[in-house]
Amino acid sequence: MQLTGAEITIRCLQEEGVEYVFGYPGGAVLNIYDELFKQDKVKHVLVRHEQGAVHAADGYSRSSTKTGVALVTSGPGVTNAVTGIATAYMDSIPLVIITGQVPTHAIGQDAFQECDTVGITRPCVKHNFLVKDVRDLALTIKKAFYLAATGRPGPVLVDIPKDVTQATTEFTYPKTVSLRSYNPVTKGHAGQIKKAVQLLLDAKRPMVYAGGGVVLNNAAPQLTRLVRLLGFPCTNTLMGLGAFPGTDPQFTGMLGMHGTYESNMAMQHCDVLIAVGARFDDRVIGNPEHFFRSDRKIIHIDIDPSSISKRVKVDVPIVGYVGDVLDEMVKIIESSPQRPDPAALKAWWADIKEWQRKDCLRYDAKSSLIKPQFVIEKLYEITKGDAFITSDVGQHQMWAAQYYKFDKPRRWINSGGLGTMGFGLPAAMGVQLVNPGATVACVTGEASIQMCIQELSTCKQYHLPIKLVNLNNRYMGMVRQWQEFFYGNRYAESYMDALPDFVKLAEAYGHVGVKVEKPGDVEGALREAFKLKDRLVFLDVITDQTENVFPMVPGGKGLTEMILAEEL
């Protein structure tokens, strides 16, 4: 069967079971768009900016087990998409990005809307391809989907010149693919697993530290089983929230720069630490020199061998899918007569409960101003903890992570590694499309929301009933907080003194806008918003300008050097 490159591209997407493609047309991809138009299996979502396309594909993937797909044109289409690609790369999200390119004969000639897509994106993709022959196209797309979803997931880009989309060849789509240079280790080493289990059973002050890898590998049930079997305390990273239930008594809260006092103290003072699908990044452990303890043993399970002992030297490295490794651990523990020392574990839990008495997330709930923490608590109460919550980046993101208790994985959708303002709204679009009928809320701030606010138009076109909760403190809040703490209250360019009327703006896009200015109105406004099942509602919540996120570990400090609200 002779097909054009454009037809092959769409057939490949159909073969992969792709339901939605998020994109924006342009000259180099018009042949592909023409073929999209001729079929109805693969639906296209027209975003208003290419950054939004990749974020939407990202949110689609994070809240499901599917690989997200974005389609953009050459030149500015690609460069606009780079922020979204880098966001997915930092958080290991499986995406396939198809980009248009100028005809092969024009590559390198500074043709109209040409850029070196492969060169520009190389540092922020798992892999990328430039397809110069239509006969290679189907196999390349198959490789892209395989690479994106296996091993440590990530974005893979396929750059297709326009003449390749016009050329014809016989179409065959391979069922499987193998790459000689790519063979990720997926099964943990049996000897290392046994050694790790013995360390856990001998531990006096154990700690389980779980990250986004648990969520990505769908290993939350295995993690929960292990933690409950052993009776150990467990903490989750920002990316790992929901990997272990947030309401479980063994959960000590998020750790890290804005983690709980008890989680950070337990991380520092444990004698055996098991890190599962986490990478000891700077926002989690602070200064590695401070984190080091010669009397602590560290077990590290990760699919990516390059992440092990990268920042912190570990004693028992285990490379493999975390779900499979945890399954093996549980089997060994269940068949062993040994259990952790109950007296030692009781004493360790007593220490943790003493740290919990600090009540590090306490805030002034009786204030006459709306406290952002109160808004998140009400959001949790009204949605019964069962919503998909996306966020942008800043103070509002940290408050959502601290005060919304995630009991399930893939419900907390945020940009962790890159910290991308503008992520929340387009990500929520992807979440809503892959979870039709689900409650989806985007927690944002007045600075972040304006980065990709044009996607309100996309929401109108596709009838996406997202609920936007804008914690509006009239500042770039996290920037202002750092300036207060570390720059002598010099608020350089962090004050937003020309904000739009968000209610009118939402209405201009055809949505419902509501302004909330009093604490007593918060609950009622949220309840009314969620009653409107088929409308997007933009809640502009005017919050206390001076509120800060606590606890806080200053940059370069150690985990135990937290600033608490009571200390200021």
Side-chain angles (χ1 to χ4, degrees):
M1 188 188 304
Q2 293 283 321
L3 299 179
T4 66
E7 289 173 312
I8 288 169
T9 302
I10 302 307
R11 283 290 297 274
C12 291
L13 296 181
Q14 291 172 348
E15 291 285 338
E16 288 292 337
V18 173
E19 186 181 10
Y20 287 102
V21 170
F22 301 89
Y24 201 96
V29 286
L30 282 183
N31 291 325
I32 298 173
Y33 269 89
D34 195 41
E35 294 306 323
L36 265 173
F37 184 82
K38 294 174 185 176
Q39 56 83 58
D40 56 9
K41 282 186 180 177
V42 179
K43 303 179 187 74
H44 182 272
V45 177
L46 176 66
V47 296
R48 301 308 189 259
H49 190 286
E50 290 90 350
Q51 180 180 340
V54 186
H55 288 332
D58 185 327
Y60 182 92
S61 179
R62 289 185 202 232
S63 61
S64 67
T65 56
K66 302 177 181 181
T67 298
V69 180
L71 172 62
V72 302
T73 195
S74 62
V78 169
T79 55
N80 281 347
V82 166
T83 299
I85 296 168
T87 299
Y89 179 72
M90 287 289 280
D91 291 344
S92 304
I93 306 304
L95 300 182
V96 170
I97 301 97
I98 296 172
T99 60
Q101 184 54 278
V102 300
T104 50
H105 65 82
I107 292 175
Q109 303 297 312
D110 293 332
F112 177 66
Q113 289 194 332
E114 180 191 359
C115 71
D116 179 6
T117 298
V118 168
I120 288 169
T121 61
R122 185 175 285 121
C124 61
V125 292
K126 185 175 178 181
H127 196 67
N128 58 19
F129 300 92
L130 171 61
V131 184
K132 290 187 174 181
D133 189 325
V134 70
R135 291 171 294 184
D136 300 329
L137 183 55
L139 179 59
T140 301
I141 292 175
K142 182 68 180 180
K143 287 178 181 178
F145 276 93
Y146 172 64
L147 286 168
T150 56
R152 180 177 180 172
V156 179
L157 184 142
V158 182
D159 196 31
I160 312 175
K162 188 165 186 178
D163 59 319
V164 173
T165 66
Q166 293 169 322
T168 60
T169 191
E170 187 176 326
F171 173 69
T172 56
Y173 196 66
K175 285 188 166 56
T176 59
V177 67
S178 65
L179 295 152
R180 188 175 59 184
S181 59
Y182 177 74
N183 293 291
V185 174
T186 59
K187 191 170 175 60
H189 187 279
Q192 293 293 86
I193 292 172
K194 285 178 184 174
K195 195 185 293 185
V197 167
Q198 195 56 55
L199 274 177
L200 292 173
L201 292 174
D202 291 340
K204 307 295 184 190
R205 301 187 312 279
M207 189 66 183
V208 180
Y209 151 49
V214 178
V215 176
L216 290 169
N217 194 227
N218 303 309
Q222 292 95 318
L223 175 73
T224 303
R225 191 174 174 194
L226 178 78
V227 173
R228 288 179 178 161
L229 178 63
L230 292 170
F232 289 177
C234 180
T235 182
N236 288 339
T237 66
L238 179 73
M239 296 305 302
L241 291 175
F244 186 76
T247 57
D248 193 288
Q250 286 173 246
F251 183 61
T252 59
M254 183 176 73
L255 81 160
M257 178 173 277
H258 295 294
T260 64
Y261 183 79
E262 51 268 28
S263 287
N264 287 348
M265 293 297 282
M267 280 284 288
Q268 189 68 32
H269 295 291
C270 64
D271 67 344
V272 175
L273 175 65
I274 176 168
V276 189
R279 57 189 178 89
F280 293 93
D281 74 274
D282 59 309
R283 289 290 173 111
V284 165
I285 63 158
N287 187 335
E289 290 181 15
H290 183 285
F291 186 70
F292 173 76
R293 284 185 65 132
S294 59
D295 60 342
R296 176 181 52 208
K297 298 293 184 185
I298 300 178
I299 303 157
H300 191 179
I301 310 167
D302 204 288
I303 189 62
D304 182 5
S306 73
S307 288
I308 295 179
S309 291
K310 186 176 184 177
R311 298 195 75 242
V312 172
K313 189 177 185 304
V314 304
D315 301 280
V316 184
I318 304 172
V319 178
Y321 282 134
V322 295
D324 295 341
V325 173
L326 293 174
D327 273 335
E328 287 300 311
M329 286 185 158
V330 167
K331 282 180 192 173
I332 295 169
I333 293 165
E334 287 180 335
S335 63
S336 169
Q338 186 183 352
R339 286 292 178 271
D341 181 346
L345 203 52
K346 185 178 179 182
W348 176 231
W349 270 110
D351 289 342
I352 292 169
K353 291 186 190 310
E354 190 61 38
W355 291 324
Q356 285 173 334
R357 288 194 184 94
K358 281 273 189 185
D359 194 12
C360 66
L361 298 180
R362 182 176 66 249
Y363 66 94
D364 181 12
K366 295 180 180 177
S367 171
S368 60
L369 300 173
I370 298 175
K371 293 292 184 179
Q373 303 95 322
F374 173 73
V375 180
I376 303 299
E377 286 181 332
K378 285 297 173 188
L379 178 64
Y380 174 74
E381 180 186 317
I382 288 163
T383 60
K384 299 180 172 63
D386 202 37
F388 288 87
I389 305 293
T390 74
S391 86
D392 276 295
V393 170
Q395 288 180 316
H396 59 271
Q397 175 191 26
M398 293 301 114
W399 284 315
Q402 290 174 332
Y403 292 90
Y404 198 100
K405 298 176 180 67
F406 295 94
D407 277 344
K408 300 174 186 175
R410 298 188 182 273
R411 294 302 181 98
W412 169 233
I413 314 295
N414 79 118
S415 168
L418 198 66
T420 307
M421 294 171 71
F423 175 84
L425 175 56
M429 300 187 316
V431 173
Q432 189 75 77
L433 283 164
V434 78
N435 299 281
T439 301
V440 180
C442 170
V443 176
T444 187
E446 77 294 329
S448 280
I449 190 60
Q450 293 189 83
M451 292 278 186
C452 286
I453 200 163
Q454 66 274 14
E455 299 307 335
L456 285 173
S457 179
T458 308
C459 293
K460 179 64 175 175
Q461 181 174 346
Y462 296 96
H463 311 290
L464 302 177
I466 297 159
K467 307 300 180 267
L468 283 150
V469 181
N470 183 35
L471 300 181
N472 186 347
N473 60 11
R474 288 84 73 209
Y475 272 113
M476 296 177 199
M478 192 60 84
V479 172
R480 197 263 318 142
Q481 179 168 334
W482 278 65
Q483 289 171 335
E484 178 184 328
F485 287 8
F486 312 118
Y487 295 89
N489 295 312
R490 293 183 296 279
Y491 301 138
E493 303 302 323
S494 58
Y495 177 61
M496 305 287 283
D497 60 354
L499 289 171
D501 183 327
F502 287 110
V503 171
K504 288 181 179 176
L505 189 57
E507 290 172 348
Y509 277 108
H511 303 302
V512 177
V514 179
K515 190 171 188 176
V516 187
E517 298 182 90
K518 296 176 183 175
D521 296 337
V522 169
E523 182 174 346
L526 283 167
R527 289 194 184 280
E528 287 302 311
F530 284 102
K531 279 180 187 174
L532 296 174
K533 300 289 187 187
D534 59 347
R535 297 293 301 277
L536 183 147
V537 182
F538 192 118
L539 291 169
D540 187 24
V541 186
I542 309 303
T543 62
D544 184 349
Q545 279 193 291
T546 65
E547 195 66 21
N548 290 319
V549 181
F550 295 106
M552 181 178 183
V553 179
K557 298 292 186 181
L559 270 185
T560 60
E561 299 176 274
M562 287 165 276
I563 302 172
L564 302 177
E566 65 199 42
E567 295 169 355
L568 294 179

